[in-house]
Structure formats: C-alpha cells, structure tokens
Amino acid sequence: MSLPEIVSREEWHAAREELLVKEKVVTRARDALNAERRRLPMVEITEEYVFDGGDGKAGLLDLFDGRHQLVVHHFMFAPEWEAGCRECSAFLDQIGHLAHLEARGTSFAVVSRAPFPRILPFKARMGWTLPWYSSYENGFNRDFEVTLEQSGRLVERPGLSCFLRDGDRVFHTYSTYERGLDGLGSTTSLLDLTALGRQEEWEEPKGRASGLDAPARGDRLRYHDEYEF
C-alpha cells in the first residue's frame, strides 16, 4: 500500500495551507456553478403522469406534498428485477433526515419503473421510510431519460430530477445522471440542484426565496424535531 509521506507538524501545516488556497478556489467555482444552474430556464410539465404509491394513485403534483419544490431520485429498479440497484441503494442510504429539506419547501421522492408491489418488500428490507412511487404504468422514466432503449432492449440509469411548482403548474428545472450524483446526498447538496437553492441571502440570483414562508428560509436551521410546518 502506498501511504502519504511522513513529515513534521510544521511541514503538514504548510502543505495544508497550500492546499486550502486551491480548495477555496473550488468552493468559489462551485458557488458560481450553482448560481448558473439556478439561472437555467424551465419547462412546464403538461403530461398527466399517474404513479402508484403507499397511498394509492398519485400525480406528479401530489409528490410535492404541498411544497414549492420536488427532488426525484430515479432509482434503478426494472420491472423484472427481484431487488433494486445496489449503487442506488447505497446512494439512498446517504439521504439524511428529510425535515431539513422540507423546512425549505422541498420534498424528496423516489421513483422506479418496477411495479409498486415489487418495490414494497425491498423498501421494507432496506428499512427506508422515504416516499417511493412506481412509474410502471406511465412514461415518466423514458421522458426523463433514465430508461433508455439500447440495441433493442430497455436499460436503466440512475439520476436526479428537480421540479418547481407554481400553484398547480409544475416545471422541470434540472436533471443529472450517473456520475452527476457523486458527492450528493446531504441537504445542501440537494438544494444546490434546485431553482430556489438553499434560500440564503448570499445566493445569486437574488429574490428566489422572497415568496417563501419564514420557516422555509435557509437561516432557520433547527433540530429536525423543532421545525413547525
């Protein structure tokens, strides 16, 4: 095994400070990229998707659960599979308490192409309580490019899609796939993909969170059992 070089504490601090300069450059670049992502245009969703979930049939608007935004995890689970994708499962294990997302007006849901009766036992096995829906009877997966036709057969790929609600109108704002999910899972990393972002005053463009209720503002960070919805 190749291990790092052994140095004195003073040498380590000097090397660390040199690296910190580069890390700050990356942080500023990431902030700029997130702002550019928030400036992306959006597309209205007019298709009447119907999903199967724990409470029966649901439309895409229902997945928002009354909030402003929705982040969908496209979980690879084809109808003929006995269990969900291992990589997608590892990703879902990293999702934290949803209260911090929900306090910022953002819902999180999982969508797979497998029929819901096949999803349910796997979800129970994994011990997940996240909202999970089946798109088996609609074209959601194909429309958002996570079920693709290759060489005459259907293949799955993982992804995340973000949606914004304006009244009863739903808009698609962003999607990312495969390696685009690397490093995601925390509340802030998911909010950075959305049109409203973290809803903090320093973010660009300005004014995105001005219409949200106070409990949803980014400066209202609380213990997850203290939020008032």
Side-chain angles (χ1 to χ4, degrees):
M1 182 185 299
S2 177
L3 300 177
E5 179 185 1
I6 300 173
V7 298
S8 68
R9 176 59 63 182
E10 290 74 18
E11 289 174 306
W12 181 90
H13 272 297
R16 178 68 189 94
E17 288 299 315
E18 184 178 342
L19 180 62
L20 181 59
V21 172
K22 297 176 182 178
E23 288 178 335
K24 289 182 176 180
V25 170
V26 172
T27 297
R28 289 191 289 269
R30 184 175 62 243
D31 288 344
L33 181 62
N34 290 338
E36 189 172 349
R37 182 185 294 115
R38 288 189 291 273
R39 291 187 176 96
L40 280 173
M42 59 186 184
V43 178
E44 185 167 9
I45 305 301
T46 58
E47 181 72 24
E48 296 290 337
Y49 297 109
V50 178
F51 303 91
D52 285 321
D55 295 323
K57 302 293 185 181
L60 185 58
L61 185 63
D62 297 317
L63 274 57
F64 282 77
D65 200 19
R67 300 182 181 92
H68 296 278
Q69 298 190 123
L70 170 67
V71 177
V72 169
H73 176 213
H74 300 286
F75 190 107
M76 292 171 60
F77 198 160
E80 66 275 14
W81 296 0
E82 294 298 327
C85 164
R86 287 181 174 85
E87 287 77 12
C88 292
S89 297
F91 175 82
L92 211 54
D93 280 335
Q94 299 176 91
I95 300 297
H97 204 291
L98 294 185
H100 299 295
L101 272 177
E102 293 170 352
R104 287 152 185 80
T106 305
S107 291
F108 183 90
V110 185
V111 174
S112 298
R113 200 162 56 90
F116 191 71
R118 181 156 290 192
I119 292 171
L120 204 54
F122 180 71
K123 179 183 177 182
R125 170 189 166 187
M126 294 292 101
W128 294 323
T129 58
L130 299 161
W132 199 334
Y133 299 88
S134 168
S135 60
Y136 180 67
E137 295 181 349
N138 65 51
F140 185 77
N141 275 45
R142 290 201 185 201
D143 291 348
F144 288 90
E145 301 177 49
V146 290
T147 297
L148 307 173
E149 186 170 348
Q150 295 182 357
S151 302
R153 66 187 186 94
L154 297 180
V155 298
E156 309 290 322
R157 67 170 175 167
L160 281 174
S161 290
C162 301
F163 302 89
L164 182 67
R165 180 178 67 85
D166 183 11
D168 289 340
R169 300 174 70 188
V170 174
F171 301 88
H172 175 219
T173 60
Y174 183 73
S175 285
T176 188
Y177 308 98
E178 297 169 341
R179 286 293 304 277
L181 277 67
D182 287 359
L184 300 178
S186 66
T187 296
T188 51
S189 69
L190 294 175
L191 288 172
D192 283 343
L193 302 181
T194 68
L196 299 182
R198 304 183 191 186
Q199 298 146 43
E200 296 179 358
E201 294 300 328
W202 57 267
E203 287 184 307
E204 296 288 344
K206 301 296 185 184
R208 286 291 171 90
S210 60
L212 298 181
D213 296 332
R217 296 295 299 276
D219 57 0
R220 299 290 183 125
L221 189 65
R222 305 176 185 178
Y223 295 111
H224 69 247
D225 61 352
E226 289 183 347
Y227 290 113
E228 299 173 5
F229 299 112

